[in-house]
Amino acid sequence: SCFIPRDGYKIVGGDFSGMELRIIAEFSKDPLWIESFKEGKDLHSVLCAKTFNIAETDVKKETPFKPGVTYRDVQKTVNFGLAYGMSKFKLADTLQIQVNEADKIIKDFFKIVPDVERFLNTLGNLGKQRGYIRTCAPFRRIRFFQNWDEARNPHNPKGFAILGEIERASKNTPIQGSNGDVLKLALINVQKVIDENEYPVSILLSVYDEIQTECEEEFAEEWKEILNNIMIESAKTVIKEVPIVVDCKVSDCWEK
């Protein structure tokens, strides 16, 4: 509520929904993830039920190994953690549970989504082997790992740890970086449509995977639909099979 539009204007924002998970689904081709998105299901609940072998109606129950935290909370942490190359040690630290418990959760999870594990491992190995990784097609932006030579030096006692960092970054970059590619393209397309049609709209800012604009009040509802369509079409440049969802809203302040 600290950020408000001028008099006679509205804040119209669009926020990509679950883009990291959609990118993972698109490029891993995991059937369970793709099916969940296509059918509009709650991915966290679907995966949670299978990971912990419980009914979907029970996913919001507390876990026995971490009172106060639901099974779905744990699953959500795992799902998003994948995009950051999360290890069993990081999961254990995040949830404040034993490492062996975190290890079992991750192993049980990958048993139901082996294509996701294969996809992430392929990315990690590519980065370690080549010394660079790229974002997804069609942009394929390249990220070089400046300390790659240092990591491969057999006499370097820190080499193994550096390779671990490169592996995690190699899993992360195609997911987060491709998300960034999509947002940049969407920003370009939004500005282009505004300029070509002389719409009473201006881009205020982008925060991670959202675009916030200021729009004349009378045009706000119409612009919301236009913004939604631009963002979806921009994302389709990278994500071809998995449905794209954008949460657009008209507000008197910047809302998350």
Side-chain angles (χ1 to χ4, degrees):
S1 61
C2 294
F3 299 90
I4 60 175
R6 293 171 288 169
D7 289 340
Y9 284 76
K10 294 283 187 181
I11 300 285
V12 182
D15 191 353
F16 282 114
S17 176
M19 282 293 283
E20 300 101 329
L21 304 181
R22 295 176 196 276
I23 290 169
I24 291 173
E26 176 77 17
F27 292 97
S28 71
K29 302 300 180 188
D30 184 84
L32 183 58
W33 282 43
I34 291 176
E35 177 188 356
S36 297
F37 281 127
K38 285 187 173 180
E39 295 183 1
K41 295 179 180 178
D42 175 43
L43 179 68
H44 300 306
S45 295
V46 171
L47 296 177
C48 179
K50 292 188 177 296
T51 298
F52 294 101
N53 195 27
I54 58 176
E56 282 192 42
T57 52
D58 293 336
V59 299
K60 292 189 178 180
K61 290 184 177 180
E62 288 188 2
T63 64
F65 52 83
K66 183 65 175 178
V69 176
T70 69
Y71 286 103
R72 188 180 180 279
D73 291 335
V74 174
Q75 187 66 55
K76 192 173 180 180
T77 300
V78 172
N79 293 347
F80 282 113
L82 293 175
Y84 295 92
M86 175 180 278
S87 67
K88 61 184 178 181
F89 302 103
K90 180 62 177 178
L91 180 61
D93 182 61
T94 301
L95 297 176
Q96 291 297 291
I97 60 176
Q98 296 297 315
V99 173
N100 63 322
E101 291 175 336
D103 186 47
K104 184 179 186 305
I105 292 170
I106 292 174
K107 286 179 177 177
D108 288 345
F109 171 70
F110 280 136
K111 285 178 184 176
I112 65 169
V113 288
D115 292 327
V116 173
E117 182 177 28
R118 193 176 301 114
F119 167 64
L120 294 171
N121 286 341
T122 297
L123 293 179
N125 289 330
L126 280 173
K128 289 191 295 183
Q129 292 166 7
R130 298 177 177 177
Y132 67 88
I133 198 72
R134 292 181 180 272
T135 62
C136 300
F139 298 103
R140 294 185 56 76
R141 286 189 298 117
I142 192 167
R143 175 182 179 180
F144 289 102
F145 299 114
Q146 302 298 329
N147 53 358
W148 182 62
D149 288 334
E150 179 186 352
R152 289 167 61 86
N153 183 346
H155 303 294
N156 183 358
K158 296 182 179 180
F160 183 78
I162 296 172
L163 278 178
E165 294 173 2
I166 289 174
E167 181 178 10
R168 288 189 291 276
S170 297
K171 294 177 180 179
N172 170 261
T173 297
I175 299 167
Q176 301 289 341
S178 297
N179 194 6
D181 291 340
V182 166
L183 185 71
K184 291 169 188 174
L185 179 62
L187 284 166
I188 292 168
N189 290 338
V190 167
Q191 189 62 58
K192 182 179 179 181
V193 169
I194 291 172
D195 292 343
E196 289 179 347
N197 295 276
E198 299 183 349
Y199 285 146
V201 181
S202 58
I203 296 175
L204 293 179
L205 74 166
S206 66
V207 180
Y208 193 54
D209 52 8
E210 65 180 270
I211 297 175
Q212 296 294 332
T213 66
E214 187 179 55
C215 174
E216 283 188 3
E217 189 169 355
E218 295 77 8
F219 186 58
E221 288 297 332
E222 183 177 346
W223 172 244
K224 182 182 78 169
E225 297 304 317
I226 295 172
L227 177 62
N228 180 77
N229 292 335
I230 294 171
M231 292 179 70
I232 288 175
E233 289 304 313
S234 298
K236 286 180 179 179
T237 305
V238 173
I239 302 175
K240 312 285 187 182
E241 184 176 357
V242 176
I244 309 298
V245 174
V246 178
D247 298 320
C248 285
K249 62 180 67 174
V250 177
S251 176
D252 291 320
C253 64
W254 173 24
E255 291 186 6
K256 272 296 291 177

